[in-house]
Amino acid sequence: RDVREGDWTMSPVNESAVPQAAKARQAFTEAMDNWDEAAADAAVAGLVRSAKQNDLFEIFCRYGARDFRDIGHKAIYVANSWRTLQHIGWQHAEPVLRSLAYALLYHEGENPSKRDAEPDRPWRRNQARVARIRTDWQQGKPSAEASAELLTTLRAGSSDEACDAVVAQLNSGVAPQSIWDALFQGAGELLMRQPGLVALHAVTSTNALHFAYQTSESDETRKMLLLQNAAF
């Protein structure tokens, strides 16, 4: 199919459009927020050449969880790009992250920054929920009962109800691991109820978001990843 459609390959970087190191992060963020493929491609080249590995991951893991298009592949691509680069070496990072940025900008229809599309709503709503989570949220106690309660919500509730349940459990002192237990169990249940490619990605995207959660060093990002997984 690729040959029939023109045998697409990644073109060389447009070096004249690559921002200076000091401006690369801002340029990349603006391009991604505006869903601008050409600007993002030039900016990510400048970003890879100037930023540290950990800083790059923090940026990309947020955009990988930003929306739910492509049945979870965006988060999966982020996790597996990082896992791959750890083995093949960061000298290959520029083409990998150019490709990754392109994949994260996949969307249907008009520019998502100019409309209120369903795949984008959880991220926007969860940005407000994050502020309601107690500051010592990672110090909770494991609770099998809380996992079972959240699993019940995941089976029958909406994405908003699932996210609200996560916030309530964290604020009541439940350990994040017990919430992740419910998310992994819920993903596994979906695959058992609907064996096939789509439900499989409930499991693989949960794995990818959990990897990002474990790898991120940002408290706010880790909360967002947990909430986004619940919504998904």
Side-chain angles (χ1 to χ4, degrees):
R1 188 175 70 178
D2 182 52
V3 172
R4 289 199 307 269
E5 294 176 355
D7 201 16
W8 184 90
T9 57
M10 184 183 293
S11 60
V13 176
N14 180 4
E15 295 292 345
S16 65
V18 175
Q20 297 177 352
K23 298 180 179 179
R25 179 168 185 155
Q26 179 180 350
F28 181 69
T29 300
E30 290 177 354
M32 294 297 287
D33 290 347
N34 292 325
W35 297 77
D36 186 333
E37 293 175 6
D41 186 64
V44 72
L47 189 63
V48 172
R49 298 171 190 178
S50 59
K52 297 179 180 179
Q53 295 177 21
N54 289 348
D55 292 337
L56 288 167
F57 183 82
E58 294 292 350
I59 295 169
F60 273 91
C61 76
R62 290 180 64 87
Y63 285 112
R66 172 175 63 169
D67 68 284
F68 297 143
R69 296 173 177 86
D70 208 11
I71 58 174
H73 276 116
K74 294 188 177 187
I76 295 166
Y77 290 152
V78 172
N80 287 347
S81 294
W82 249 257
R83 288 163 168 157
T84 300
L85 286 169
Q86 299 305 318
H87 290 280
I88 67 175
W90 277 81
Q91 68 271 23
H92 301 291
E94 186 169 314
V96 171
L97 297 187
R98 285 181 65 205
S99 175
L100 179 58
Y102 183 71
L104 297 184
L105 291 173
Y106 165 77
H107 65 87
E108 77 300 329
E110 298 178 5
N111 188 322
S113 68
K114 302 182 185 300
R115 57 193 173 97
D116 180 30
E118 184 176 357
D120 304 305
R121 289 172 190 163
W123 180 265
R124 293 166 182 165
R125 293 170 180 172
N126 282 333
Q127 287 179 307
R129 286 189 179 94
V130 161
R132 304 204 304 266
I133 298 175
R134 64 192 180 97
T135 56
D136 56 345
W137 63 283
Q138 296 187 56
Q139 307 305 315
K141 296 181 180 180
S143 171
E145 293 77 12
S147 297
E149 180 182 333
L150 180 57
L151 188 57
T152 299
T153 302
L154 294 174
R155 288 171 181 151
S158 66
S159 61
D160 280 329
E161 289 170 334
C163 292
D164 288 338
V166 168
V167 173
Q169 288 194 348
L170 290 174
N171 287 340
S172 67
V174 174
Q177 183 56 53
S178 294
I179 294 172
W180 280 110
D181 287 345
L183 296 175
F184 274 103
Q185 290 168 23
E189 276 193 9
L190 285 175
L191 181 56
M192 293 173 68
R193 288 161 55 189
Q194 185 185 341
L197 189 63
V198 174
L200 170 67
H201 289 84
V203 177
T204 53
S205 61
T206 296
N207 174 279
L209 289 163
H210 186 248
F211 171 81
Y213 173 88
Q214 292 179 306
T215 306
S216 173
E217 298 178 356
S218 165
D219 187 79
E220 195 265 351
T221 296
R222 298 183 86 204
K223 293 176 186 175
M224 287 294 293
L225 291 166
L226 186 58
L227 289 170
Q228 285 294 94
N229 203 137
F232 200 10

